[in-house]
Amino acid sequence: MTENPENPENPDITHETERRARLTWSLLAEPSDAVALMARERLGSRAALELAREATPAELLAALDGQVPAEAADPGAGTPGARASRALQRWRGRLAAVDVEAVLEDADRRRIRVLIPGDEEWPSALDDLQETAPHCLWVQGPARLDRLAGERAAALVGSRASTPYGEDVASSLGAAFAGAGGTVVSGGAYGIDAAAHRGALAAQDGATLAVLAGGLDRLYPRGNTQLLERIREQHLLLSEAPMGTAPTRWRFLARNRLIAALSRAVVVVEAAWRSGALSTARLADQLSRPVGAVPGPVTSAASAGCHRLIRERGAVLVTEPAELLDLLPGGPAAGEGSFARQDELDLLSPADRRVLDAVPPRSGISPGRLADEIGFASREVGAALARLELLGLIEQEGQRVRRTRRTG
Amino acid sequence: MTENPENPENPDITHETERRARLTWSLLAEPSDAVALMARERLGSRAALELAREATPAELLAALDGQVPAEAADPGAGTPGARASRALQRWRGRLAAVDVEAVLEDADRRRIRVLIPGDEEWPSALDDLQETAPHCLWVQGPARLDRLAGERAAALVGSRASTPYGEDVASSLGAAFAGAGGTVVSGGAYGIDAAAHRGALAAQDGATLAVLAGGLDRLYPRGNTQLLERIREQHLLLSEAPMGTAPTRWRFLARNRLIAALSRAVVVVEAAWRSGALSTARLADQLSRPVGAVPGPVTSAASAGCHRLIRERGAVLVTEPAELLDLLPGGPAAGEGSFARQDELDLLSPADRRVLDAVPPRSGISPGRLADEIGFASREVGAALARLELLGLIEQEGQRVRRTRRTG
């Protein structure tokens, strides 16, 4: 066992102390508790916890350099001192009831793992959340989270109030993407989420990850219990909320940031003009994850949010599994297909275009013969060939002109 | 009658001579006859016509500086000399049968007007076609072409093999656009074109222009005769082909450039992966006309071309009449709506965002009170306000901070 020279404590013990401190924070504070997140980021989980236990409001205020943000669920009101005081009240009210060891035993009995940064299974993608990263994660299932949330994880999300069209698309996209080795990340909700998970479950070798807003002991919504149990048996359930936590509106919104962060791309399959799925898309965009959206009939209100994303937010229009794959790292960016090349050709002057068109697709041709073919003077052909070569559209070798692979 | 000092001829007589020369060219040459277009552009209609009547191939070659392009319907083959010779053969074969006065009388009897550049009714938008501008136009109907093809002309085009969904969208877009004072330009074909024209005809005060590929004496397709007759009675039919011309594949493609040029925006309502409507979109893009496309179910092959345009060609997704109007000159560009402002706000740091959010929507607030409200130090609030003011999101006047109109 090696000792960290800068930290005389046993590193394993330190890591387990950190796990207990973060777990405690997840029991004390909502994911949206901005004061808790700020205290953790500035002071570290353990030092922040000491303050939560023992500090006066003035001490907490001082430790945070006088900056106590309004937390999302309790916005705006009061002075920083008053907010520090309310934060301590919130935390202490819960702290009295916390029994960390009992929670860990309960989790162990249910085969729920509590993950924190530094664990092998902790997905590095979550680091992108920076100061809003979760205190810890609760995961349950045979799969390893760091592998599921790798390079080939994509979120398929959408409305609970879905149409048969949207569900069909979600499940066939989910099946094809999982079948191609991808992980379908979604929120386990009715409608599009459920259809996407089902598609992934149906695929050979598919993987899927359900990110829940409440505790893993409360599979929600009830009507999806069987589906979520299958995901738990075969793949993975995840939540940042401890057991016993009921899903609430705030927790759903906070959950969406995890779906976005754990995925390399987010595709909205069906969403109304205002929909929680649009918040997932916005969060993904903030995290520089590509956002795709599936179009539908303009007469269907259930697709209005998708159209809005494409029209106003620059989301990539997705019609089929290959286009979902294209969104992932290493896939060609949309607009770089053969049509984009076509656009480049369209930018050529008519004369250059005529010269290029006269170069046969496979064999070569001499500049002199080219000039004859199209009735241009040789000096004009020479100038056009020079421009086309600069653009990488043709190559000249001695007295032969050939198309490059880009135009062949 | 004033005389043009640089041209001793009577200008009216000159203009009528030009009309006869251009009319003759429209009788001699296909719209895609690149040699005819080049001769007209380089030499003028009348001088080119002299050559067509009397020149040897060598003289034509010399007049064109040795550059005789391959024309689209007769691509590539042969030397410039051979091409000059074939062009003369083509023109002379038809020239023998041309009786310009008889054609003009026939047009007059049918109340068909022959328009050339310089006529009041000639639409200036066609000048954007440059060397591929038509020799002349044949128009029939009570409307004035220059007015129909003004700032508020938009093409609604699409597949002949349309679905009821596409036809519904085309006719409701057409009706709403025409009802708002727009001209629906389309090609009079079955399917989307017909639905768009019908929508415009149904609108109060609507206008519509059908651009045909064949002569105006041959309303095509036959099944749309009644529709085209209604357009002719109430609005305008147009063709660049003289009477007696049958519509052919080449003429349809050439016709599409007129639809694009006569419109300030082109919206493809429904189109398969390969569709003539995509060529209209491409031509519009080349003419810097905005291109829109209406999405549909990804399961509908009839929408695949529209999705392709949005995904790969940067076409603007259009779901409703207001979004069609937005494409026209003076309309807001897509992506400049409230969501784009939202994007800008998203780029703010969380601290700046929090400061902005704390500025009340209508009334002002003092920086000191702001600092208290959100628990920031006054110097932090001051710095954030300076940045927000730079971005034009707030304005400060003395001790009052207010939102600007952009964020209010």
Side-chain angles (χ1 to χ4, degrees), chain A residues 133-158:
Chain A
H135 299 294
C136 64
L137 294 176
W138 309 72
V139 302
Q140 190 178 26
R144 262 185 64 162
L145 178 58
D146 57 326
R147 293 190 188 146
L148 287 199
E151 293 288 308
R152 290 178 84 77
L156 291 178
V157 296

Side-chain angles (χ1 to χ4, degrees), chain A residues 267-345:
Chain A
V267 173
V268 181
V269 177
E270 205 173 46
W273 185 257
R274 295 186 186 282
S275 160
L278 299 191
S279 88
T280 311
R282 174 188 297 279
L283 293 161
D285 191 49
Q286 287 170 351
L287 292 167
S288 304
R289 311 294 196 251
V291 174
V294 176
V298 298
T299 44
S300 165
S303 286
C306 291
H307 296 152
R308 186 184 193 186
L309 285 173
I310 296 165
R311 185 176 153 78
E312 302 180 352
R313 307 288 317 270
V316 175
L317 186 148
V318 169
T319 69
E320 55 172 30
E323 294 170 358
L324 166 51
L325 287 170
D326 286 352
L327 288 179
L328 295 180
E336 290 182 5
S338 57
F339 244 68
R341 179 175 72 75
Q342 197 56 49
D343 281 335
E344 188 171 74
L345 298 184

Side-chain angles (χ1 to χ4, degrees), chain B residues 170-228:
Chain B
S171 74
S172 58
L173 269 183
F177 181 64
T183 300
V184 173
V185 181
S186 198
Y190 289 134
I192 298 302
D193 287 15
H197 287 304
R198 283 205 179 89
L201 285 171
Q204 199 101 36
D205 305 321
T208 191
L209 169 64
V211 184
L212 304 185
L216 294 186
D217 58 331
R218 305 194 168 193
L219 298 188
Y220 179 90
R222 293 258 174 92
N224 281 351
T225 301
Q226 232 186 328
L227 171 68
L228 295 170

Side-chain angles (χ1 to χ4, degrees), chain A residues 168-210:
Chain A
D168 274 2
V169 174
S171 75
S172 59
L173 269 183
F177 181 64
T183 300
V184 173
V185 181
S186 198
Y190 290 132
I192 297 302
D193 287 15
H197 286 305
R198 284 206 178 88
L201 285 170
Q204 200 101 37
D205 305 321
T208 192
L209 169 64

Side-chain angles (χ1 to χ4, degrees), chain B residues 51-358:
Chain B
L51 287 174
R53 285 191 219 280
E54 292 166 9
T56 63
E59 285 166 344
L60 178 59
L61 197 59
L64 296 177
D65 295 331
Q67 293 172 32
V68 183
E71 62 125 6
D74 171 29
T79 62
R83 281 203 291 272
S85 171
R86 274 207 306 286
L88 289 170
Q89 275 171 25
R90 277 199 302 276
W91 302 337
R92 293 215 177 126
R94 294 184 177 188
L95 202 46
V98 165
D99 180 344
V100 173
E101 297 310 320
V103 170
L104 279 171
E105 273 166 36
D106 182 33
D108 202 44
R109 203 165 42 240
R110 298 171 188 266
R111 298 175 182 255
I112 290 174
R113 313 187 285 287
V114 182
L115 304 181
I116 63 166
D119 285 335
E120 263 186 60
E121 199 181 339
W122 183 264
S124 59
L126 285 187
D127 297 344
D128 294 348
L129 287 172
Q130 297 178 342
E131 72 279 6
T132 67
H135 299 293
C136 62
L137 294 176
W138 310 71
V139 301
Q140 189 177 27
R144 261 185 65 162
L145 178 58
D146 56 328
R147 294 190 187 147
L148 286 198
E151 294 287 310
R152 291 178 83 78
L156 290 179
V157 297
S159 293
R160 283 165 296 169
S162 53
T163 68
Y165 163 71
E167 291 157 23
D168 274 2
V169 174
S171 74
S172 58
L173 269 183
F177 181 64
T183 300
V184 173
V185 181
S186 198
Y190 289 134
I192 298 302
D193 287 15
H197 287 304
R198 283 205 179 89
L201 285 171
Q204 199 101 36
D205 305 321
T208 191
L209 169 64
V211 184
L212 304 185
L216 294 186
D217 58 331
R218 305 194 168 193
L219 298 188
Y220 179 90
R222 293 258 174 92
N224 281 351
T225 301
Q226 232 186 328
L227 171 68
L228 295 170
E229 283 173 351
R230 278 189 65 201
I231 296 173
R232 181 170 67 191
E233 278 154 31
Q234 297 175 28
H235 304 291
L236 207 64
L237 296 183
L238 177 153
S239 176
E240 67 178 312
M243 284 162 286
T245 308
T248 62
R249 180 177 151 68
W250 277 112
R251 290 176 188 139
F252 280 112
L253 289 173
R255 183 273 314 265
N256 290 348
R257 86 190 192 293
L258 297 186
I259 291 178
L262 290 164
S263 307
R264 295 309 163 97
V266 170
V267 172
V268 183
V269 177
E270 204 173 48
W273 186 257
R274 293 186 188 285
S275 160
L278 299 191
S279 88
T280 311
R282 173 188 299 281
L283 293 160
D285 191 49
Q286 286 170 354
L287 292 167
S288 303
R289 309 292 196 254
V291 175
V294 176
V298 298
T299 45
S300 166
S303 286
C306 290
H307 296 152
R308 186 184 193 185
L309 285 174
I310 296 166
R311 186 179 151 78
E312 303 180 352
R313 305 290 316 271
V316 175
L317 185 147
V318 170
T319 68
E320 55 172 30
E323 294 171 357
L324 166 52
L325 288 169
D326 285 352
L327 289 178
L328 295 179
E336 288 181 8
S338 57
F339 243 68
R341 180 175 69 77
Q342 197 56 49
D343 281 337
E344 190 172 73
L345 298 184
D346 287 346
L347 292 175
L348 296 178
S349 74
D352 289 359
R353 183 64 203 262
R354 192 164 290 150
V355 171
L356 179 63
D357 285 346

Side-chain angles (χ1 to χ4, degrees), chain A residues 252-271:
Chain A
F252 280 112
L253 290 173
R255 183 274 313 267
N256 289 349
R257 86 190 192 292
L258 297 185
I259 291 178
L262 290 165
S263 307
R264 296 310 164 97
V266 170
V267 173
V268 181
V269 177
E270 205 173 46

